[in-house]
Amino acid sequence: MKVSVDTVKCMGHGQCNLLAPRVYSLDERGYCNVPDAMPVPADEEKAARKGAEGCPEQAIIVIEDVG
Amino acid sequence: MTTSITRSPEAIAAGLRTDDPDFRENLEFEVYDLFRRELPAARLPMEKNGDWLFTRYDDVRQIFLAHETFSNNVYRFADVRYIPQQIDPPEQREYRKILEPMFSPQNMSRLEPDIEKFAHELIDGMMAAKSFDFMDAFAVPFPTIIFCRLMGFPLEDHPKLLRWSRILLHGRATAFADEFGLTERDASGRPTDESVNRLFAQAQQDALAYLDGLIAARRREPQDDLLTQLLDVRYEGQRPLSHEEVRNMSYLFMIAGLDTVTAALGLITRTFAERPAERRKLVSIIGDKGAMDLAVEELLRFHASVDPHRRAAASCPFAGADLQEDQIIIAGVGSANRDETVFERPNEIILDRHPNPHLTFAVGVHRCLGIHLARRELRIALKAIHERMPNYHIAEGATPTIYTDGMRGIHTLPLVIED
């Protein structure tokens, strides 16, 4: 599983970081700061999904592995 | 829910005033349920705060996201413009770049020990008194003093700041008329517009003069506070902020920072005082930070205090309304947060609700700058209160009073701690 953040949509609510602090780090303004299509460790997948669902701007895209 | 509304939505909209106490206390959410179904764009000819009220989640969200159509420069001819709240992009973006690091989650987390200590000091006072007005004893001083410390406003000045911010936000509210010394009333018992306008003008003049003095003092003698930081930052990485810019930012912070957490704490605590079963659910999770974070979001969804305003930048059709340029639009966050197409069982408090895309802090470019402070204040306050005084009720024979203006909030909340 991978996650991507639409940096145009992200407004720094910080909900992703609150729900999944080990997946979504924040920059000094409090905006989500993850590389494009960042791989998520297996034991963080549930938290990563929760963090994406919790984004008020719907700025996080979860890319599930195929097959 | 049994409905007590028999009039048509059009008839209700024709007479609706959000400062009507009966509407706020008894009818508000029932009216919104009806409006969402049958009149999602409601023209409000009697309302003082705006021309249109939008109540559906998708429409309110769209109003926030379409910042070019729905300008935040609401009062075009106001003599003081709040920075950055009443500024549109692209200037707004530059101001936010300066301010967001100051209010970042990382920086706000550093305040947590102070916030906690202060919550406990106020709880000491409530536990000694046993019977008190929760607004005076906790909800008003708690965010005010934290904010004064953060900004660098001298603590002993907080009664003055509080008076100005309350006048500027609630000058029209009948509930506050005695506090503000407003004796002239109109036929409906509300303070007259003339007397409120005089009060506004004086409070604004006094507050601005006070900020002028304080900013000049920080220029001479820098301190470790936000006011001093504002004098050091660079707009677009180049020029320092002008005196007027620093003043108008501080002015906004004073108004926005002192009142919103107070309103939330009042609304939430009243609900818990009236619903012991709900309160016990909160008490059972106060030791779990993750659960408390979700609970705070749910309580913010349930008790949004502000329905923000926008101005139609041009005439345009929107959500069934024929908007005219410069009409004022009320983004009905209180209603959107209970939209049944987005939130299951919207009129229930579900402390572990997830996802919870409430609009209390708005979305888009103007999302509330103070969210990270507000969330921490609420989580810490609710935890400390329910750890130490888990059982309380509204004093017998007493009735809480509400703001009765464009905002949701509690004016007095007489509480008794149970042994």
Side-chain angles (χ1 to χ4, degrees):
Chain A
M1 177 180 155
K2 299 183 181 70
V3 291
S4 277
V5 177
D6 183 333
T7 52
V8 175
K9 280 188 179 174
C10 173
M11 287 293 156
H13 292 260
Q15 285 296 88
C16 57
N17 175 263
L18 216 55
L19 293 160
R22 285 186 295 274
V23 180
Y24 304 104
S25 60
L26 304 178
D27 67 15
E28 83 288 348
R29 289 168 67 191
Y31 284 61
C32 187
N33 186 26
V34 302
D36 218 25
M38 182 184 75
V40 176
D43 58 348
E44 288 291 336
E45 286 187 356
K46 202 173 151 204
R49 259 182 227 110
K50 207 168 174 185
E53 288 160 3
C55 174
E57 307 286 351
Q58 299 161 15
I60 301 175
I61 304 147
V62 174
I63 307 146
E64 300 283 354
D65 296 325
V66 182
Chain B
M1 194 190 293
T2 56
T3 179
S4 55
I5 296 177
T6 51
R7 287 178 298 156
S8 72
E10 289 80 7
I12 293 170
L16 194 142
R17 283 185 65 154
T18 60
D19 62 357
D20 172 3
D22 185 43
F23 171 74
R24 277 287 187 231
E25 272 289 64
N26 306 313
L27 299 171
E28 178 172 35
F29 291 104
E30 229 176 301
V31 168
Y32 296 157
D33 287 348
L34 179 68
F35 279 8
R36 281 197 307 274
R37 283 196 310 272
E38 295 178 26
L39 192 66
R43 182 82 174 88
L44 306 179
M46 299 299 286
E47 170 63 22
K48 291 211 164 193
N49 290 305
D51 301 300
W52 293 92
L53 170 67
F54 291 90
T55 44
R56 283 184 183 165
Y57 182 90
D58 289 345
D59 294 339
V60 174
R61 190 179 171 86
Q62 191 56 32
I63 289 167
F64 289 140
L65 293 177
H67 57 83
E68 280 163 1
T69 310
F70 302 105
S71 169
N72 243 42
N73 180 2
V74 175
Y75 308 103
R76 283 169 100 168
F77 306 107
D79 42 356
V80 182
R81 189 155 295 153
Y82 301 165
I83 301 178
Q85 192 208 343
Q86 292 174 350
I87 308 283
D88 287 323
E91 292 82 8
Q92 184 261 7
R93 233 171 253 133
E94 292 303 318
Y95 290 122
R96 293 283 298 220
K97 268 187 211 160
I98 291 169
L99 294 169
E100 278 161 357
M102 299 182 188
F103 290 93
S104 69
Q106 301 89 321
N107 276 334
M108 296 302 102
S109 289
R110 273 181 221 124
L111 297 177
E112 286 197 25
D114 271 355
I115 297 174
E116 197 173 334
K117 186 168 158 275
F118 191 52
H120 281 287
E121 281 171 31
L122 292 173
I123 294 167
D124 290 343
M126 291 193 286
M127 293 185 65
K130 296 257 187 244
S131 167
F132 46 84
D133 173 20
F134 179 76
M135 303 313 291
D136 279 346
F138 195 96
V140 172
F142 176 67
T144 305
I145 303 230
I146 292 161
F147 197 74
C148 284
R149 282 186 189 160
L150 172 67
M151 281 299 294
F153 294 149
L155 278 193
E156 63 272 20
D157 292 343
H158 91 261
K160 266 197 296 203
L161 299 165
L162 206 55
R163 179 176 157 84
W164 294 326
S165 84
R166 282 158 86 100
I167 287 173
L168 293 162
L169 283 168
H170 305 300
R172 261 174 228 297
T174 311
F176 286 78
D178 289 340
E179 183 181 323
F180 299 152
L182 291 173
T183 48
E184 293 171 31
R185 304 298 173 94
D186 65 15
S188 63
R190 296 181 175 94
T192 60
D193 285 352
E194 296 75 32
S195 67
V196 172
N197 290 341
R198 278 199 304 274
L199 185 76
F200 272 145
Q202 189 64 51
Q204 176 167 310
Q205 193 187 324
D206 293 348
L208 293 176
Y210 172 85
L211 293 171
D212 285 342
L214 206 57
I215 293 163
R218 288 297 181 280
R219 251 186 233 289
R220 287 192 303 271
E221 252 183 275
Q223 305 279 333
D224 180 20
D225 59 29
L226 224 136
L227 212 48
T228 304
Q229 283 181 46
L230 289 176
L231 299 174
D232 289 339
V233 294
R234 293 285 180 275
Y235 184 88
E236 291 186 311
Q238 315 233 333
R239 64 164 180 86
L241 297 175
S242 70
H243 174 81
E244 200 184 324
E245 286 172 319
V246 174
R247 190 192 67 180
N248 290 6
M249 284 179 181
S250 313
Y251 187 63
L252 167 63
F253 296 162
M254 184 186 91
I255 294 168
L258 298 188
D259 201 74
T260 43
V261 172
T262 294
L265 278 170
L267 293 163
I268 292 167
T269 306
R270 179 194 179 173
T271 296
F272 283 137
E274 291 172 342
R275 305 185 193 182
E278 302 277 357
R279 192 174 69 232
R280 278 191 285 276
K281 285 185 208 160
L282 184 85
V283 170
S284 74
I285 61 162
I286 50 175
D288 179 345
K289 184 187 166 289
M292 282 298 283
D293 283 335
L294 289 180
V296 165
E297 294 308 308
E298 173 66 349
L299 294 165
L300 283 164
R301 177 190 74 84
F302 198 74
H303 281 309
S305 63
V306 185
D307 287 349
H309 303 160
R310 295 291 188 263
R311 180 176 56 82
S315 299
C316 64
F318 176 73
D322 191 13
L323 298 180
Q324 301 299 305
E325 184 178 351
D326 286 345
Q327 280 185 330
I328 305 298
I329 284 144
I330 303 175
V333 165
S335 168
N337 281 354
R338 298 192 191 198
D339 188 324
E340 50 287 285
T341 65
V342 176
F343 301 97
E344 261 179 62
R345 293 184 287 154
N347 293 312
E348 290 176 38
I349 297 172
I350 300 171
L351 292 176
D352 60 352
R353 188 185 290 277
H354 176 85
N356 192 344
H358 67 76
L359 299 174
T360 301
F361 293 127
V363 290
V365 296
H366 287 284
R367 70 98 178 138
C368 167
L369 182 64
I371 51 178
H372 307 300
L373 178 59
R375 279 189 192 132
R376 280 160 182 77
E377 288 180 348
L378 289 172
R379 169 168 48 75
I380 290 167
L382 291 171
K383 176 174 192 243
I385 290 169
H386 293 92
E387 229 165 38
R388 295 184 56 200
M389 38 176 276
N391 297 306
Y392 52 85
H393 59 257
I394 291 170
E396 255 169 76
T399 315
T401 55
I402 59 169
Y403 281 171
T404 60
D405 54 21
M407 288 172 65
R408 292 176 205 90
I410 306 289
H411 186 227
T412 57
L413 182 56
L415 283 193
V416 176
I417 297 180
E418 296 164 15
D419 290 323

